[in-house]
Amino acid sequence: MTASSQKLTPPVAAKRPVKLEKHGDVRIDPYFWLCDRNNPDVISYLKAENAYCDQQMAPLQDLQDQLFAEIKGRIKQDDAQVPYRLGQHFYYTRFEEGQDYPIYARKAGSLEANEQILLNINTLAKGHSFYNARLSSGSISPNGQILAWAADTAGRNFFTIRFLDMETGQMLADEIPNVTANLVWANDNRTLFYAKQDPETLRWDKIYRHVLNSPTQDDVLVYEEQDNTFEVSVDKTQDNAYLLIESGQTLTTETQILDANTPEGQFEVFQARDRGHDYAIDHAHDFFYIRTNRKAQNFCLKRVPTATQPESEWETVIAHNPEVFLSNFAVFQSYMVIKERQDGLNRLRIYPWSNPDAAHVIAFDDAAYEVGFGSNPEFESDVLRYTYQSPSTPTTTYDYDVATRQRTQLKQEVVLGEFSPQDYQVERLMVPARDGAHVPVTLVYRKDQYQKDGSNPLLLYGYGSYGASIPPYFSPSRLSLLNRGFGFAIAHIRGSQTLGRQWYEAGKLLKKKNTFTDFIDVGQYLVEQGYTDRNRLYAMGGSAGGLLMVAVMNMQPDLFDGIIAQVPWVDVVTTMLDDTIPLTTSEYDEWGNPNNAEYYKYMLSYSPYDNVEPKAYPSLLVTTGLEDSQVQYWEPAKWVAKLRAQKTDNNLLLLHTDMEAGHGGVSGRYEQYREIAREYAFLLHLAHKATSPKPTQASP
């Protein structure tokens, strides 16, 4: 299905050269004009690309429909989350069959009580092509009466906060427009703190205080973050004793605290920002607990009874361990739990307050897995809720009794149709990189469909930025690939924190290319070991992972048969030189500041848009959203236009722009399935696997 065989003419973007000069270096950008979403020519070009994508994918429509039916058919349409208790109620989220959006509800006293529907997002979303509602346990006022919730109807993460009186079922008159969804209640049940973003850069830079039944214009500006490399947010300690204002950027954090019973008081700095000091605090039993990287690259845990005591008096609770990354912690009435990672695998360590020597680890035996905290809003609980999954095991929710060490399985994600975890093999590899490092790789495939002789296609996924570690997660949608003989692998490359903070530090700034070469080395290793071959190896990544895809493609275009780049960040230098573009200034410590000549030169050497050359590239499916607030649509649009003008092959090059969605794509769950079906159809066509899966999955 090449452009030539279909005799379809791809769109040709006009060239309107703009000269860009920095540090004596001149770049000519012929497609700079695509940056104006209000220009009718821009919209026409994006629509032409969409039409071309639809034309090229038209022969695969039956396959897309089949994949959509399979994916939808595996999902329990009338499913519900495990309820969590907060105060006198059990709260939960559920879906109804045929509905795109969730229903938020609660029951008083017990799960056998009558249901009270709080919000039916399906009703609220009517008339909107996009609807993103945000609420959590923190949205509920301490007395359980008022629900503060937020909704975005455009996809650019500008929310309106509204208030529901859960006792009467009536919405209050208060509305707070054009803000973030980050909010927290004071203990008086009438004061809400929330974060507001800059309308141009979208940087979260202000914290306001709102009092119920008062005009929004009277909201008090509590704090404004003046450093444009920092963002600011609000939170609350687990014991509900303190409100927190947290300022942070890549390297440095600063927290301010306020007694949650005195919301009109003045926040006080807990520990002043000091470049390179990254810390987070919580509170229990008259102690502040601090996760800090001070003289502890992989973090340690300290405590102090008062915020006024100097750092030199902080008491060590858990010492730094260079082999173990302390990634998170939570405090409760009778115990503390630590989430830590060793050799790339997470685990939970329980510390009872009454007997710290009885600390123990909740053990997991799979080759690769992910474990995380579930909903634990009540400080007084003696039971820890956590979730577990692996590439072959659906997400499972457990309650763990800390005293008895007994765990109770509450729910496992339902996969309808013919599915058994035993049909799938999970492997964990350590792949040698070119500089001697070893890169963890998680691999899953169907046992009766996969041969390690190079004959099977394989999809390699990666991200590798911001210290984000992609977990070895389960995906019911992915079964449509595995059941057709695909393997799926995650490369846990440098730039993540999979192997600790040092793994992250080795994949950022002037070491960023390690991220790209790690991914290439993993792909080559999988080919050499017979997991696939170069004609059957595919890659996928999004956002900064989209940058990874395109940088790797520029460096070694013959390694992959096809690539899916989701909302890819590709115009690195131009974006990082423009501090009016959302989120730019807060990322200097991740990528570097190109106003510095050394960083400019280094970033230019890998920036995908600046390194397009006249040569053959793999087949490409590129996605973006017109309202994307994180990676602006024009980056992939410009890159595709430039690639069309220079590439020497006849391979597919498809750009699909969602004209209504933002960075996260469409909002309805069924539409998300259709996006996945389009991507899978693209891969299966390239791999010549456009056949029914074996065994056949149940229809919806």
Side-chain angles (χ1 to χ4, degrees):
M1 193 177 65
T2 64
S4 59
S5 65
Q6 292 293 302
K7 296 182 179 179
L8 297 173
T9 303
V12 176
K15 294 183 179 181
R16 302 171 187 173
V18 171
K19 180 180 178 181
L20 304 172
E21 185 172 2
K22 190 71 175 180
H23 304 300
D25 179 62
V26 176
R27 295 178 297 136
I28 303 299
D29 187 347
Y31 304 108
F32 193 86
W33 65 274
L34 286 172
C35 296
D36 182 6
R37 63 167 49 84
N38 295 315
N39 183 342
D41 291 346
V42 172
I43 301 302
S44 295
Y45 171 71
L46 296 177
K47 289 182 176 179
E49 285 284 4
N50 280 355
Y52 178 72
C53 179
D54 291 343
Q55 288 175 322
Q56 288 284 13
M57 293 293 290
L60 301 179
Q61 189 59 56
D62 288 346
L63 176 59
Q64 292 184 67
D65 292 342
Q66 180 184 357
L67 290 164
F68 174 76
E70 287 175 20
I71 295 168
K72 182 180 176 183
R74 292 190 194 100
I75 309 299
K76 191 174 186 297
Q77 301 301 317
D78 56 351
D79 204 4
Q81 293 180 350
V82 178
Y84 63 85
R85 181 162 193 153
L86 182 58
Q88 301 302 311
H89 291 83
F90 288 90
Y91 294 85
Y92 57 95
T93 304
R94 66 177 178 84
F95 283 90
E96 291 185 345
E97 187 165 357
Q99 297 294 316
D100 259 322
Y101 297 98
I103 294 170
Y104 295 92
R106 70 176 184 177
K107 294 182 178 181
S110 76
L111 294 176
E112 285 68 47
N114 292 331
E115 178 184 73
Q116 177 191 1
I117 293 178
L118 303 174
L119 296 174
N120 186 335
I121 307 303
N122 299 284
T123 301
L124 294 166
K126 287 181 178 179
H128 298 281
S129 56
F130 180 93
Y131 202 94
N132 180 15
R134 296 277 184 90
L135 59 156
S136 66
S137 59
S139 301
I140 301 165
S141 63
N143 63 2
Q145 180 177 346
I146 307 297
L147 177 71
W149 63 285
D152 167 25
T153 59
R156 285 187 63 78
N157 290 321
F158 282 92
F159 290 82
T160 296
I161 297 175
R162 296 181 175 88
F163 299 86
L164 172 70
D165 187 326
M166 293 185 287
E167 292 187 355
T168 66
Q170 299 298 310
M171 288 290 179
L172 303 184
D174 306 51
E175 289 192 1
I176 310 173
N178 298 318
V179 296
T180 75
N182 174 227
L183 51 85
V184 66
W185 285 98
N187 289 346
D188 65 353
N189 300 296
R190 60 191 293 269
T191 304
L192 187 87
F193 293 83
Y194 61 90
K196 184 175 176 62
Q197 66 276 67
D198 182 279
E200 296 299 326
T201 67
L202 307 189
R203 182 174 69 94
W204 295 15
D205 62 346
K206 298 180 182 68
I207 301 299
Y208 282 88
R209 183 178 70 227
H210 175 78
V211 178
L212 289 180
N213 301 315
S214 66
T216 302
Q217 57 266 31
D218 292 343
D219 287 359
V220 176
L221 176 62
V222 174
Y223 177 72
E224 181 172 5
E225 178 55 65
Q226 299 292 341
D227 188 330
N228 67 2
T229 68
F230 279 73
E231 290 197 310
V232 65
S233 60
V234 288
D235 204 349
K236 199 175 188 181
T237 57
Q238 177 74 4
D239 63 358
N240 295 311
Y242 289 91
L243 299 165
L244 309 175
I245 293 179
E246 298 169 326
S247 296
Q249 45 108 282
T250 305
L251 299 176
T252 310
T253 53
E254 178 181 84
T255 300
Q256 302 174 57
I257 63 172
L258 175 65
D259 187 327
N261 294 314
T262 59
E264 295 186 0
Q266 295 295 315
F267 280 84
E268 297 180 355
V269 174
F270 178 83
Q271 177 70 21
R273 65 188 67 182
D274 181 14
R275 184 168 175 79
H277 187 200
D278 186 3
Y279 74 92
I281 70 172
D282 209 334
H283 189 266
H285 302 298
D286 299 323
F287 279 95
F288 290 98
Y289 287 82
I290 311 114
R291 174 183 174 267
T292 171
N293 70 342
R294 184 76 85 191
K295 298 181 182 179
Q297 186 180 40
N298 275 338
F299 292 85
C300 62
L301 194 71
K302 305 274 189 176
R303 74 174 187 177
V304 66
T306 67
T308 58
Q309 288 183 248
E311 187 179 347
S312 60
E313 296 181 10
W314 291 1
E315 174 190 357
T316 298
V317 179
I318 299 176
H320 175 250
N321 186 337
E323 303 299 323
V324 178
F325 179 64
L326 200 166
S327 60
N328 201 359
F329 75 103
V331 292
F332 297 92
Q333 180 72 37
S334 60
Y335 67 97
M336 172 176 65
V337 58
I338 301 293
K339 183 178 180 182
E340 58 189 25
R341 186 183 301 121
Q342 185 170 20
D343 296 328
L345 294 176
N346 285 316
R347 63 192 180 205
L348 301 178
R349 187 180 296 273
I350 307 295
Y351 287 84
W353 297 125
S354 60
N355 185 11
D357 292 336
H360 61 278
V361 171
I362 304 176
F364 309 99
D365 300 323
D366 287 343
Y369 60 85
E370 169 64 4
V371 62
F373 298 147
S375 296
N376 295 281
E378 290 199 320
F379 178 71
E380 295 78 11
S381 176
D382 294 326
V383 175
L384 173 71
R385 179 163 295 176
Y386 70 88
T387 60
Y388 176 88
Q389 61 182 306
S390 82
S392 62
T393 305
T395 302
T396 309
T397 302
Y398 293 96
D399 271 355
Y400 182 80
D401 189 302
V402 173
T404 65
R405 302 192 185 185
Q406 296 297 310
R407 71 177 185 180
T408 302
Q409 180 176 319
L410 302 177
K411 180 184 177 179
Q412 185 171 82
E413 178 184 2
V414 176
V415 181
L416 300 178
E418 299 179 26
F419 168 75
S420 172
Q422 288 70 37
D423 291 338
Y424 303 88
Q425 182 67 45
V426 177
E427 295 186 23
R428 189 169 185 270
L429 312 175
M430 294 299 290
V431 174
R434 63 192 65 186
D435 64 355
H438 283 77
V439 182
V441 176
T442 300
L443 182 69
V444 61
Y445 51 84
R446 183 168 173 129
K447 296 175 183 177
D448 62 357
Q449 295 282 316
Y450 208 79
Q451 304 294 325
K452 298 178 186 178
D453 59 3
S455 62
N456 286 83
L458 184 143
L459 176 61
L460 180 61
Y461 185 86
Y463 188 76
S465 294
Y466 304 106
S469 301
I470 303 300
Y473 64 101
F474 179 80
S475 167
S477 303
R478 190 193 300 142
L479 299 176
S480 288
L481 290 181
L482 303 183
N483 290 343
R484 288 175 170 84
F486 256 82
F488 178 83
I490 303 171
H492 304 286
I493 49 186
R494 278 175 280 192
S496 73
Q497 294 183 131
T498 302
L499 295 182
R501 187 73 173 186
Q502 64 274 14
W503 199 243
Y504 171 43
E505 299 289 346
K508 58 183 287 197
L509 296 174
L510 297 175
K511 297 180 181 179
K512 188 62 206 172
K513 289 183 183 179
N514 284 337
T515 300
F516 313 140
T517 55
D518 280 359
F519 196 81
I520 290 172
D521 292 345
V522 168
Q524 290 178 328
Y525 180 88
L526 293 172
V527 169
E528 292 166 0
Q529 298 301 310
Y531 286 96
T532 189
D533 67 23
R534 286 174 179 256
N535 295 321
R536 297 175 177 86
L537 180 60
Y538 303 92
M540 181 168 68
S543 194
L547 163 66
L548 168 69
M549 295 299 104
V550 187
V552 164
M553 185 189 77
N554 282 342
M555 296 169 68
Q556 194 156 343
D558 62 341
L559 181 57
F560 299 95
D561 184 50
I563 290 177
I564 297 175
Q566 303 159 317
V567 292
W569 182 43
V570 291
D571 195 8
V572 176
V573 175
T574 303
T575 293
M576 294 301 292
L577 282 170
D578 186 352
D579 59 12
T580 67
I581 291 178
L583 311 181
T584 292
T585 56
S586 63
E587 301 198 355
Y588 287 154
D589 284 319
E590 176 72 25
W591 308 97
N593 184 345
N595 292 295
N596 178 306
E598 182 182 19
Y599 285 108
Y600 175 89
K601 182 178 179 180
Y602 187 78
M603 296 163 75
L604 188 63
S605 71
Y606 68 76
S607 174
Y609 184 65
D610 294 292
N611 285 279
V612 174
E613 298 175 334
K615 60 186 178 184
Y617 290 96
S619 295
L620 287 161
L621 174 59
V622 185
T623 64
T624 187
L626 183 64
E627 300 299 333
D628 195 331
S629 61
Q630 291 175 251
V631 177
Q632 303 297 318
Y633 74 89
W634 60 73
E635 297 214 15
K638 287 169 50 177
W639 172 61
V640 166
K642 191 173 186 179
L643 203 58
R644 285 206 190 283
Q646 296 201 37
K647 73 189 191 83
T648 60
D649 59 83
N650 287 322
N651 293 327
L652 281 171
L653 174 55
L654 304 178
L655 171 65
H656 184 271
T657 303
D658 192 305
M659 304 302 286
E660 296 171 335
H663 195 65
V666 293
S667 58
R669 58 174 175 164
Y670 295 129
E671 289 306 310
Q672 293 173 357
Y673 301 159
R674 292 198 182 278
E675 288 189 342
I676 295 170
R678 179 176 60 235
E679 293 172 347
Y680 284 4
F682 175 81
L683 293 171
L684 290 165
H685 172 79
L686 295 178
H688 307 293
K689 290 286 184 179
T691 58
S692 296
K694 301 182 185 309
T696 302
Q697 299 298 296
S699 298

